[in-house]
Amino acid sequence: WRAAFAWVASALLAGAPRMASACSVCTPGRDDETRVAFQVTTLFLTVLPLGLIGGVVWWLVRRARSIEQARAEASAGPGSLPGRP
């Protein structure tokens, strides 16, 4: 049985390249329109998380600046002139 199993496994592995060329993802990738669609999707999925992280960092910086400005105005007191510490 082991010899038969080894023979069947060898035959399947020998036919693997032929089965791989029937892949539903690999064959259409040769078409120009499909290739461009894959590239655009890859670009979108790469830029989206970077944009989201950048947006969060931008928001945090703006929020920190507004809190700092509010603290500076509060520490200046009500009798001080605007724009002067």
Side-chain angles (χ1 to χ4, degrees):
W1 289 101
R2 287 185 185 182
F5 177 74
W7 188 84
V8 171
S10 298
L12 289 174
L13 287 175
R18 191 168 287 193
M19 288 187 291
S21 67
C23 173
S24 64
V25 177
C26 301
T27 305
R30 295 181 184 143
D31 298 335
D32 196 41
E33 183 178 308
T34 306
R35 183 180 50 80
V36 170
F38 280 128
Q39 289 174 342
V40 169
T41 303
T42 301
L43 180 67
F44 175 73
L45 291 174
T46 301
V47 171
L48 181 67
L50 296 175
L52 289 172
I53 292 169
V56 168
V57 169
W58 177 72
W59 178 78
L60 287 172
V61 168
R62 287 192 59 208
R63 181 74 177 135
R65 286 181 183 166
S66 68
I67 290 172
E68 185 180 316
Q69 183 180 5
R71 285 184 183 169
E73 289 174 0
S75 68
S80 65
L81 295 174
R84 295 206 175 181

